[in-house]
Amino acid sequence: MNELRPKLFDVMKGYTKEQLIKDIISGIIVAIIALPLSIALAIASGVGPEQGLYTAIIAGFFISFFGGSRVQIGGPTAAFVVIIYGIVANYGTDGLIVATILAGAILILMGICHFGSLIKYIPYTITTGFTCGIAVTLFVGQLKDFFGLSIDSVPSEFLNKVIAYAENISTINWTALVIGLVAIAIMLVWPKVTDKIPGSLVAIIVTTAIVYFAKLPVNTIGSVYGELNSSFPTFHVPALSMNLIQQMISPAFTIAILAGIESLLSAVVSDGMIGDQHKSNAELIGQGLGNIFSGLFGGIPATGAIARTAANVRNGGRTPIAGIVHCITLTIILLVLMPLAALIPMTTLAAVLLVVAANMADWTSFFHLCKTAPKSDVIVLVATFLLTVFFDLVVAIEVGVVMAAMLFMKRMAETADVKAWKYTDEPDVTPGEAEKMREIPHSIRVFEISGPLFFAAADQILAINSDKSTKVVVIRMRSVPAIDASAMKSLRELADRAKKKKITLVFSHVNDQPMSVMKKDHFVEYVGAENFHKNIVEALDYAENLVK
C-alpha cells in the first residue's frame, strides 16, 4: 500500500519554513506560466477560455495532493487538444465531461492494479509519431486566429481545414498578423533577457496593451466569447445515457493512456532533476482523481505538464505544496483578474500555441528514426503520425499499438528456430566439426529449439522429423525462454505422432516457464517424467541406453 500512498504525506516529515517559502514562490511563478497556456489550450480545444483555468485549478490540486511525484504540476496540455476538439465537435460538452470522468476512472483502476510500469510497453515510435502528429495538427489549428481569417465555422478535419484556409486566404487581417508576429518575436527574444518571467506572459501583456490603447481592429477573447465567467467553478453532473457512455469509452481510454504516458514521463524527468524516485501507481491515481473532479467542475482532461513541472523545480519547488500554491494563485487570478483576460487578442493566443507546437515536436528524433530504425518501426512511426494528422488520435494509438504488436510478434517468430544435429559421419561435416561433436547412433535424432515458442512460431515444432531407423528423438530446449498454449498444442501433436511411430521423445534442459506450462497441461505425465533431463549429456546417455 505504500506504493499508493500520496507523495505529499511522505515529504512533510521534517518540512522546514525555508522550504515552505521556496515552494510558495515557485507555486506563484508556475501559476503565472500556466495562466496564458491554460486559456490558450482551452480555446484551441473548442471550449471556453475559463475552462482551461478550471482544469489547472481543480485537476492541478488533486494531482499535487494525491499524486506520486514531489514536484509534478498538473493541468491542460497540448497533447489533449486534438482529441478534445473532436469530442466537443461530435458529442458536445456533456460528451467531453463523460470522457474525462471515464478516463479518470481508468487511470485510478490502472494505479490500483499497479499498471504504472506497463506504460513503458508503449513503443517509442508510437509516442514520437503521435506527438509530432499532434504538433502539426495544433500548429495548423492556430492559423485562422493567427492570420485573422474570417471563417464562420472551421472544419475539424485536417484536410478540410487546410482547404478552408486556402479558400479564405483573401480575408487575412494584416493588423492581426503583425500583432501575432510581434508576440512570437517577444517569446523568442525574452528568454535571453530573463527566464524568471515567461515570455508568453510578456507577449500577452504587451500585445494586449497595444491592441487596447491603439483600438486596433483585432479579435479578442471578449469579442469572440463575450463576457468571461470570473466565479469559482460549480459542481455539475452531465446528462448520462448508456449510449453516450459506450461512445466515450474509446476516447476515454486514449485520454487515459495519454495522461499516463505524459505524467509518468514528466515524473521521470523531474526525478532526474531533484534526485528523487516517484511512485508511478500513486501518480496514476492522482491523475485519475484530477480528471474525475476536473470533469465534474467543468474542466477538460489534464495530466502532468513537463514544462511547468521543470519550471517548478528550477524555481525551488521541492514538495507538492508548490503545486497546491499554484492552484490557489490561479484561483485568485480567476476571481479577481479574469475580466481583463477578455482583452487578450486571439492572434496572441494563437502565437503562444504556435510556439508550443513548434517546441513539442521532436523532429530530430522523428527523422533520425526514419533513417536508422528497422523498417517495421518506421512503418509504425509514419502510420501513427499520418493517422493522427488525417484521422484522429484515438485511431492512431489503437492502430499503432496493434501494428507494433504484430510486427514485434513477426520478429520474435523469425528468431524461433529448430535445428537438427549432424552425425559425425555425414559428408558435409568438416574434420574440425567432427572432433567437437559427440558420436551418437543413427537411431537417435537430436533437435535444438531456439527462441520463444508462441502461436506465431508454433509451427516450427512440427519441423521436427524422423526416418524409419529413428527410435529416440532428443529435443534440447535450453534456448526456449517461454511457450504458450499454441506451442503446447504443437508439442502434443508431435508426441502423438511419435507414439504412433513408437518413437520415444526425450527433453533436455527445459526452462522454468516452459516446464510450468507443460506440467499444467499434463504433458510431462503424457510423455513420461523419466524422459525429462537437466542437460544434454544426461539426455543423450539416457537415449543411448534406450536403443541398446
Side-chain angles (χ1 to χ4, degrees):
M1 289 301 292
N2 186 54
E3 175 64 22
L4 303 181
R5 178 185 168 93
K7 199 74 169 182
L8 176 65
F9 301 159
D10 294 342
V11 301
M12 294 312 292
K13 295 174 184 176
Y15 191 59
T16 63
K17 181 181 177 182
E18 290 76 14
Q19 187 56 55
L20 174 62
I21 293 170
K22 289 180 181 178
D23 285 339
I24 290 173
I25 293 171
S26 181
I28 292 171
I29 293 172
V30 173
I32 293 171
I33 295 171
L35 175 64
L37 288 174
S38 299
I39 293 173
L41 290 168
I43 291 173
S45 300
V47 298
E50 61 270 26
Q51 287 176 260
L53 284 184
Y54 294 167
T55 307
I57 292 167
I58 302 297
F61 173 80
F62 281 95
I63 289 170
S64 292
F65 195 96
F66 292 100
S69 169
R70 292 172 66 106
V71 292
Q72 186 83 278
I73 301 295
T77 68
F80 289 128
V81 168
V82 177
I83 190 167
I84 295 172
Y85 191 91
I87 292 171
V88 172
N90 295 316
Y91 304 102
T93 305
D94 278 351
L96 176 61
I97 293 172
V98 170
T100 306
I101 294 171
L102 285 174
I106 293 170
L107 282 164
I108 291 175
L109 190 62
M110 288 168 67
I112 292 172
C113 295
H114 295 266
F115 284 0
S117 61
L118 294 184
I119 297 296
K120 66 186 178 185
Y121 293 109
I122 302 294
Y124 177 58
T125 48
I126 291 179
T127 56
T128 302
F130 74 62
T131 300
C132 290
I134 289 169
V136 170
T137 308
L138 179 62
F139 191 94
V140 171
Q142 305 317 303
L143 297 181
K144 170 188 174 291
D145 289 329
F146 185 74
F147 287 103
L149 299 176
S150 297
I151 304 175
D152 293 333
S153 178
V154 179
S156 59
E157 296 81 10
F158 181 83
L159 277 179
N160 292 340
K161 193 176 291 184
V162 172
I163 292 169
Y165 291 163
E167 290 174 346
N168 292 274
I169 193 72
S170 60
T171 65
I172 288 179
N173 182 333
W174 294 101
T175 306
L177 177 58
V178 170
I179 294 295
L181 290 172
V182 168
I184 288 179
I186 291 171
M187 285 184 280
L188 294 178
V189 173
W190 186 257
K192 298 176 182 178
V193 178
T194 179
D195 59 357
K196 296 297 182 184
I197 302 173
S200 57
L201 182 65
V202 175
I204 285 175
I205 292 172
V206 171
T207 55
T208 299
I210 292 172
V211 170
Y212 178 75
F213 289 110
K215 297 188 180 349
L216 298 178
V218 174
N219 281 340
T220 63
I221 292 177
S223 67
V224 175
Y225 291 93
E227 186 178 349
L228 300 183
N229 186 357
S230 60
S231 60
F232 193 79
T234 55
F235 185 84
H236 169 69
V237 178
L240 295 174
S241 69
M242 186 53 66
N243 183 47
L244 182 60
I245 292 173
Q246 289 173 341
Q247 289 175 320
M248 291 298 102
I249 284 290
S250 184
F253 184 76
T254 303
I255 291 170
I257 292 294
L258 271 179
I261 292 172
E262 192 163 356
S263 64
L264 294 180
L265 177 60
S266 175
V268 169
V269 170
S270 63
D271 281 350
M273 296 174 74
I274 64 174
D276 192 50
Q277 182 68 44
H278 73 281
K279 299 177 180 179
S280 57
N281 296 309
E283 183 61 26
L284 291 178
I285 291 175
Q287 296 289 333
L289 289 169
N291 277 280
I292 288 174
F293 282 94
S294 176
L296 291 173
F297 280 90
I300 59 179
T303 185
I306 297 176
R308 277 160 267 173
T309 299
N312 181 32
V313 173
R314 284 197 299 269
N315 287 285
R318 288 296 180 273
T319 76
I321 296 297
I324 294 171
V325 170
H326 140 269
C327 300
I328 294 171
T329 306
L330 286 175
T331 302
I332 295 170
I333 293 172
L334 170 68
L335 299 177
V336 178
L337 301 176
M338 197 60 183
L340 294 177
L343 302 176
I344 299 173
M346 293 295 290
T347 183
T348 301
L349 291 180
V352 169
L353 290 184
L354 287 176
V355 173
V356 169
N359 290 334
M360 76 178 288
D362 189 357
W363 293 112
T364 302
S365 295
F366 186 93
F367 291 115
H368 178 73
L369 285 170
C370 287
K371 291 178 181 178
T372 61
K375 190 179 293 184
S376 58
D377 285 341
V378 175
I379 291 171
V380 173
L381 172 73
V382 175
T384 306
F385 170 75
L386 293 176
L387 287 169
T388 302
V389 172
F390 292 103
F391 291 90
D392 65 51
L393 196 55
V394 178
V395 174
I397 291 180
E398 289 174 349
V399 173
V401 168
V402 171
M403 283 182 66
M406 292 184 69
L407 289 168
F408 172 76
M409 288 186 288
K410 180 178 180 292
R411 285 202 295 267
M412 287 297 98
E414 288 170 352
T415 65
D417 186 35
V418 177
K419 285 185 178 177
W421 278 23
K422 296 178 181 178
Y423 297 107
T424 55
D425 57 355
E426 287 187 22
D428 60 339
V429 173
T430 62
E433 278 184 302
E435 290 172 6
K436 297 176 184 177
M437 294 167 65
R438 174 166 171 171
E439 192 168 336
I440 55 175
H442 281 251
S443 56
I444 298 173
R445 298 214 67 190
V446 182
F447 293 88
E448 182 153 2
I449 306 177
S450 303
L453 290 178
F454 62 109
F455 57 88
D459 60 335
Q460 294 273 2
I461 296 169
L462 299 178
I464 295 173
N465 53 34
S466 59
D467 53 35
K468 290 180 180 180
S469 66
T470 304
K471 292 181 180 179
V472 179
V473 171
V474 178
I475 301 175
R476 194 181 195 187
M477 295 183 66
R478 64 174 180 171
S479 300
V480 179
I483 63 175
D484 69 357
S486 298
M488 280 308 310
K489 180 177 179 294
S490 295
L491 282 173
R492 281 267 180 184
E493 289 179 17
L494 178 66
D496 290 340
R497 201 166 65 190
K499 280 195 174 185
K500 287 178 182 177
K501 295 181 178 180
K502 294 182 170 50
I503 295 172
T504 303
L505 289 185
V506 177
F507 290 85
S508 159
H509 200 145
V510 180
N511 291 308
D512 291 342
Q513 193 275 351
M515 181 59 81
S516 175
V517 175
M518 287 179 179
K519 285 179 178 177
K520 284 182 181 178
D521 191 63
H522 302 291
F523 182 74
V524 174
E525 296 174 23
Y526 185 68
V527 174
E530 69 279 4
N531 294 323
F532 286 79
H533 296 272
K534 291 181 180 179
N535 55 61
I536 191 64
V537 175
E538 288 185 14
L540 289 176
D541 289 343
Y542 176 75
E544 287 180 352
N545 287 329
L546 289 177
V547 299
K548 281 181 180 177

